[in-house]
Amino acid sequence: MHSAIIDLPSATPGTRRTLTVQRFGTAGARPCAYIQASLHADEIPAMLVADKLRRILIALEAEGRIAGEVILVPVANPVGLGQSLMDHHLGRFDQDDGKNFNRDYPHLTEAVAERVADRLTDDGEANKAAIRAALADALAERTPRTETEHMKHRLLALALQADWVLDLHCDLEAVMHLYTLTPSAEAFAPLQRLLGARAVFLAEESGGDPFDEAVSRPWNELAKLWPDRPIPFGCHSVTVELRGQADVEHAQGEADARAIAGFLTHAGVLSGEPPALPAPLCAPTPLESSEPLTAPVGGVVVFHHKAGDRVEAGAVVADILDPLTGEMTPVRSESAGVLYAHSATRFTLAGKRIAKVAGTTLRRTGPLLSA
């Protein structure tokens, strides 16, 4: 393992932020996998899994089993990791401007298209190399200003050159689930099965420009712009939701890390015999069919179901109790599907999302991700 420290420009004199980047295998070798943990810095299971994965990769590297290169960033958000208010860790939003750390990444398709328009040929590998170079150049032309923008810029620069990107997150209280681009569903089927995902959500654009789509969407969009040119899908990316924030256990983290290593073997990043694939626990569904359940009133939340339960259309998922009057307001699911996540607190304000169901019949429009 080769470890490097990247200094981030400080927002104030006398302070320092760094990104630690750990590399396994041969620099520049293909295929390359980029894996980062806890971009939402209060999603702690990801850092535990990254630690378990690092230990596995060190052992595999000693055996000569890193066929390509693995780039691991075990703490992707040092800015959010240091944010605390009255003993509450606030790692999802930047306290400076309130923005989500996993939104507003540069959409580089247009800038890349201008660069490669006259360079594309009938050679797919040459086109892939030209697009990778153009992605790096387009990002390099942007000038980050704030501490967080610099951090996002550095993370994106590392990931843009990878063949595979795994962004490790978690939800509040949840079962294992994944988000990826529609064209990448088959590519991540082994990961889905090895992790035992209970829901897999697909979209060509989810809205908000999250990190995973910043590295993969350009490939899909460029291929559509030039259907007469061979443009291989140069980067498959996935957001891995490692259950809920409280799911921090050694055995579970080890199992998740071994599942990821098994997937990297299937992808050819690691050499050796790929592990057998368990039967899938779900079929991928459109992200537009995922149903967010919102509280119509404020009050005490009493759930009727746990994360992972299957609910039918019209089922009461939770009651909202008015503690002053005793009135109960039911919150019903419009869709049948798996209740894959719900809030970790048991009091809500009116209009807040309290749960999410992996349905199949809804066709939502607009931004499909939560804030």
Side-chain angles (χ1 to χ4, degrees), residues 40 92-94 97-104 152 370-371:
H40 287 145
R92 183 178 183 85
F93 301 100
D94 190 344
D97 57 15
K99 292 183 178 178
N100 190 318
F101 284 114
N102 192 26
R103 301 291 186 272
D104 303 314
K152 288 181 172 182
S370 56

Side-chain angles (χ1 to χ4, degrees), residues 102-301:
N102 192 26
R103 301 291 186 272
D104 303 314
Y105 282 82
H107 182 216
L108 299 174
T109 299
E110 184 176 341
V112 170
E114 292 176 358
R115 284 170 167 79
V116 302
D118 299 327
R119 298 169 58 190
L120 297 176
T121 69
D122 292 329
D123 184 335
E125 288 304 308
N127 291 342
K128 186 191 292 188
I131 290 169
R132 280 210 174 102
L135 283 165
D137 291 343
L139 180 64
E141 278 193 353
R142 293 175 172 262
T143 303
R145 296 165 299 168
T146 69
E147 186 176 50
T148 297
E149 287 176 355
H150 279 283
M151 182 184 75
K152 288 181 172 182
H153 189 96
R154 295 295 179 85
L155 293 172
L156 194 55
L158 288 166
L160 279 174
Q161 301 305 305
D163 302 279
W164 301 93
V165 171
L166 281 69
D167 193 12
L168 306 183
H169 287 252
C170 76
D171 212 301
L172 299 173
E173 292 184 7
V175 291
M176 178 74 72
H177 57 285
L178 311 177
Y179 298 90
T180 191
L181 284 193
T182 304
S184 296
E186 185 176 351
F188 285 116
L191 181 66
Q192 168 194 345
R193 295 167 68 172
L194 289 165
L195 286 172
R198 298 290 307 280
V200 178
F201 298 108
L202 308 177
E204 295 202 6
E205 181 180 355
S206 61
D209 295 312
F211 180 87
D212 63 340
E213 291 184 10
V215 296
S216 58
R217 264 180 61 202
W219 294 96
N220 190 39
E221 292 167 345
L222 291 167
K224 290 181 177 180
L225 283 175
W226 284 283
D228 58 330
R229 299 293 186 186
I231 299 179
F233 209 102
C235 181
H236 291 286
S237 66
V238 63
T239 293
V240 179
E241 300 282 353
L242 296 161
R243 306 175 191 86
Q245 286 180 319
D247 291 311
V248 183
E249 301 173 3
H250 281 301
Q252 190 167 261
E254 178 76 19
D256 291 340
R258 292 201 173 277
I260 291 171
F263 166 73
L264 295 178
T265 307
H266 276 274
V269 181
L270 305 179
S271 63
E273 184 68 23
L277 296 177
L281 301 182
C282 68
T285 56
L287 180 56
E288 63 188 15
S289 297
S290 170
E291 181 185 357
L293 303 183
T294 58
V297 296
V300 178
V301 183

Side-chain angles (χ1 to χ4, degrees), residues 308-325:
D309 286 353
R310 180 170 179 84
V311 298
E312 298 304 320
V316 176
V317 173
D319 289 320
I320 311 296
L321 166 68
D322 183 330
L324 298 178
T325 67

Side-chain angles (χ1 to χ4, degrees), residues 45-64:
M47 286 187 278
L48 176 65
V49 171
D51 175 75
K52 303 295 187 184
L53 181 61
R54 176 178 59 245
R55 297 167 191 267
I56 292 169
L57 292 172
I58 288 172
L60 292 176
E61 189 170 45
E63 297 172 10

Side-chain angles (χ1 to χ4, degrees), residues 175 198-199 201 289-293 302-319 331-342 354-362:
V175 291
R198 298 290 307 280
F201 298 108
S289 297
S290 170
E291 181 185 357
L293 303 183
V302 184
F303 285 109
H304 287 246
H305 298 276
K306 301 186 297 295
D309 286 353
R310 180 170 179 84
V311 298
E312 298 304 320
V316 176
V317 173
D319 289 320
V331 180
R332 298 179 184 274
S333 171
E334 182 179 333
S335 308
V338 173
L339 178 68
Y340 66 93
H342 62 64
I354 61 168
K356 294 179 280 191
V357 174
T360 59
T361 58
L362 294 183

